Amino acid sequence: MDYFKDLARLLQIELSFDREEHGRLLSVRSISDRKALGITWYPVQITDSGLGRGDYLQVTFNKTNDFENSHRFRFGMPVALFSNHDSQQDRIQGVITFVNKQQMRVSFRTEELPEWGRKGKLGVDLMFDENSYREMSNAMKEAETLANDPVKGGLVRKLIGVEPLSYTGVNHSFEDAILNPSQNQAVQQILSGGDLTILHGPPGTGKTTTLIKAITALLNNSGQQLLIVAPSNTAVDVLAERLDRLGINVLRIGNPVRVSDRLQDLTLEEKSNKHPGYREVKALEKQARAYTDMAHKYKRSFGRAEYEQRKALLNEAKRIRKDIDRIQDYVIEDILSKSQVIAGTLVGANHSYIRDRHYHTVIVDEAAQALEPACWIPILKADRLILAGDHCQLPPTVKSEQRESKALFHTLFEKLVELYPESVSFLDTQYRMNQQIMAYPAVAMYGGKLNSGAVASQWTLAGDTKPLMFIDTAGSGFEEQEEDGAISNKEEAHFLINHLHGLQSDLVDNNQNIPLPSVGIITPYRKQAILIADMLTESNSKKELNVQINTIDGFQGQEKDIIYISLVRSNTAGNIGFLSDVRRMNVAMTRARKKLIVIGDSSTIGQYDFYREFFQYVESIEGYHSVWEWSPI
């Protein structure tokens, strides 16, 4: 079917671009650069080694520096161990079986490391990971087959519009005093048992709270195991942790970096270690290691009798390993069968331990940020589907810059909202923002259907009468600069810092005994974020504010009392780059609880409807100001 052939073709373009980019990073960048990018650990120290499942060598590496730096290494990714003695020739590839901030365990298809492993310093490079693309590609093929099968392809055919959805589920009354009417209605629709439910949650509307309530109700009603997935480890962890707090038996598939000890306890590895059957495994592993150590004591030059003895010792270790594998398989299956919820990323839904499992209900959170091919991986395991997200916020990341690749921004979530509006439950009350901050996004992005909770609508800073301000830099000479493709605006950044210090002084003077509010500074451009951070560090402040600076993408899902937005773009050609994606601006404008200050050049961006109408709205509430009102600028 052309539907999935077209998706597969777009996926291939993305794969080719991604592979070439990663290859350039490894071949051109220095070790220092690669460390800074999070794709190399160097130097590393070997802290443990031994034979693991399948008689593969398992080696544990520890970082020896850069402990605070984040990295991109993840469970299941391919890596290459190298020596600085000859980093191109002295290389051996393996797969990550465990990783956290400072430690990594890698499985190698060998019984011993090469001799060069004892020479020089060792490092680990992250290789290009085709696994995600392979899983997505396989899902496209399977989905295409099912789409052509009227008997077996029911849900797939319905989701692409070939067959109508079924709404023959039973209506469930659900009422929770904690939830508002739209949230209760959403849970009712999820419990009804139809083929598809779409939970559309704009910023601050309690989407996660509603989803948790629905999951709990589903488990209470049916008792059937649920698969819950999301595009990112962070989104999965949020749900997994909240469900675990409620006493739900959650199994976190995969081994994500930057998880709390509590979440580590939810992983298959930790649950296996605590399983009663694992005591025997540990005893057998000790025996296998003893036989292996005895075998390795034989030198390379030995006679026939020594050779036979070494072989016998290694064979005994392998026999024990088979017993270990058998027990581990039992332990894993026992843990899987008793889990109420299995949680993982979209690609993690095809983890080897759950690859062949099927679920009555699959839930995809943050579905509007997911590439469609990745969504089909868990969907193919489902009888019914629940999608949660907001297609009016950030789209998925698409790396290829080819024109046709833009089709990947149009997600399955968005397609299904358009195809089956009757399946959508819209959460209509937000509890984050002052009414003036919310009003424009509510009209521009949500058709005026979004309302404010009574308390949030009146939130302001103490003594403040202007929750929303636009400061216009037109005519000020605050022009953008471009260097090596990176865009910034030094004058705008300088003005923002001065304005922040002025606001800070007012807050300190007026609220001596009240904790200062949290502040976020958001910009579409990474270079501008770095520039502002450097300026803020160099400037003197009267009292330290809690300030977080990041790009729009980096601020998704967060909120602060005060938000500054630096729009950066100021040029005579009217080029606005990232600002043309109004979904990103929706994210930026909806992070503030009590005060939003937008700084930009109206003459550059005002020709676009979204911004022109924003200026009109700001003027209507007397929130429009010129930068010339502050002297000196």
Side-chain angles (χ1 to χ4, degrees), residues 387-451:
L387 299 178
D390 180 14
H391 55 295
C392 300
Q393 295 190 63
L394 289 180
T397 300
V398 177
K399 298 177 182 178
S400 170
E401 297 175 357
Q402 291 193 32
R403 182 182 297 272
E404 57 186 326
S405 294
K406 291 182 179 178
L408 288 172
F409 285 126
H410 194 46
T411 61
L412 181 63
F413 184 96
E414 193 170 358
K415 291 176 183 177
L416 291 173
V417 167
E418 295 167 359
L419 186 61
Y420 297 117
E422 65 276 16
S423 294
V424 178
S425 285
F426 181 78
L427 303 183
D428 62 14
T429 306
Q430 68 84 20
Y431 300 95
R432 174 183 297 164
M433 294 161 274
N434 177 281
Q435 171 65 26
Q436 287 189 8
I437 297 172
M438 184 214 71
Y440 182 69
V443 172
M445 306 301 297
Y446 303 105
K449 296 188 296 181
L450 187 60
N451 305 306

Side-chain angles (χ1 to χ4, degrees), residues 384-562:
R384 67 182 296 248
L385 177 65
I386 298 166
L387 299 178
D390 180 14
H391 55 295
C392 300
Q393 295 190 63
L394 289 180
T397 300
V398 177
K399 298 177 182 178
S400 170
E401 297 175 357
Q402 291 193 32
R403 182 182 297 272
E404 57 186 326
S405 294
K406 291 182 179 178
L408 288 172
F409 285 126
H410 194 46
T411 61
L412 181 63
F413 184 96
E414 193 170 358
K415 291 176 183 177
L416 291 173
V417 167
E418 295 167 359
L419 186 61
Y420 297 117
E422 65 276 16
S423 294
V424 178
S425 285
F426 181 78
L427 303 183
D428 62 14
T429 306
Q430 68 84 20
Y431 300 95
R432 174 183 297 164
M433 294 161 274
N434 177 281
Q435 171 65 26
Q436 287 189 8
I437 297 172
M438 184 214 71
Y440 182 69
V443 172
M445 306 301 297
Y446 303 105
K449 296 188 296 181
L450 187 60
N451 305 306
S452 289
V455 176
S457 67
Q458 303 303 316
W459 272 350
T460 60
L461 299 175
D464 186 33
T465 59
K466 291 188 176 180
L468 174 59
M469 295 172 62
F470 174 71
I471 301 175
D472 192 354
T473 65
S476 65
F478 288 10
E479 295 185 358
E480 66 188 59
Q481 299 89 40
E482 182 174 354
E483 183 179 352
D484 297 330
I487 295 174
S488 61
N489 191 319
K490 187 176 294 184
E491 288 80 10
E492 184 174 289
H494 183 70
F495 173 79
L496 187 155
I497 296 298
N498 285 340
H499 190 279
L500 172 61
H501 284 324
L503 177 61
Q504 177 184 359
S505 294
D506 292 342
L507 290 169
V508 171
D509 293 342
N510 297 334
N511 304 282
Q512 294 287 344
N513 300 316
I514 300 175
L516 289 173
S518 58
V519 180
I521 301 176
I522 308 178
T523 176
Y525 294 94
R526 183 169 297 281
K527 187 172 182 181
Q528 184 77 348
I530 294 170
L531 180 64
I532 292 171
D534 290 343
M535 285 185 175
L536 190 61
T537 300
E538 292 170 4
S539 65
N540 296 318
S541 72
K542 193 172 180 182
K543 186 177 179 182
E544 204 62 38
L545 276 174
N546 174 19
V547 181
Q548 182 177 346
I549 305 166
N550 214 328
T551 60
I552 295 173
D553 292 39
F555 243 98
Q556 171 86 342
Q558 300 184 64
E559 57 187 65
K560 299 291 181 183
D561 294 320
I562 304 168

Side-chain angles (χ1 to χ4, degrees), residues 50-71:
L51 290 180
R53 288 177 71 88
D55 294 327
Y56 290 171
L57 180 64
Q58 297 268 1
V59 181
T60 301
F61 301 99
N62 277 27
K63 271 187 172 186
T64 59
N65 55 27
D66 295 321
F67 299 121
E68 299 305 316
N69 288 353
S70 60
H71 60 79

Side-chain angles (χ1 to χ4, degrees), residues 179-193:
L179 304 183
N180 64 44
S182 68
Q183 292 171 327
N184 275 311
Q185 188 278 328
V187 177
Q188 288 178 32
Q189 188 164 350
I190 288 171
L191 294 176
S192 70

Side-chain angles (χ1 to χ4, degrees), residues 234-289:
T234 301
V236 177
D237 290 343
V238 168
L239 289 173
E241 186 162 17
R242 289 187 61 172
L243 290 168
D244 178 56
R245 285 176 184 169
L246 295 174
I248 293 170
N249 187 344
V250 181
L251 175 63
R252 178 65 166 92
I253 286 293
N255 213 327
V257 179
R258 296 191 295 270
V259 298
S260 65
D261 291 339
R262 185 178 184 87
L263 283 175
Q264 287 287 0
D265 289 342
L266 304 184
T267 63
L268 190 56
E269 181 172 74
E270 286 300 310
K271 289 197 173 195
S272 295
N273 287 337
K274 294 174 181 177
H275 192 280
Y278 219 73
R279 293 173 186 168
E280 188 177 355
V281 167
K282 290 178 180 177
L284 290 173
E285 282 180 337
K286 189 175 181 180
Q287 291 180 30
R289 185 184 292 272

Side-chain angles (χ1 to χ4, degrees), residues 321-338:
R321 283 292 333 166
K322 288 181 180 179
D323 288 340
I324 292 172
D325 290 347
R326 177 180 52 77
I327 298 169
Q328 286 179 328
D329 288 341
Y330 160 74
V331 168
I332 289 167
E333 184 56 37
D334 189 51
I335 292 169
L336 284 168
S337 64
K338 291 177 180 175

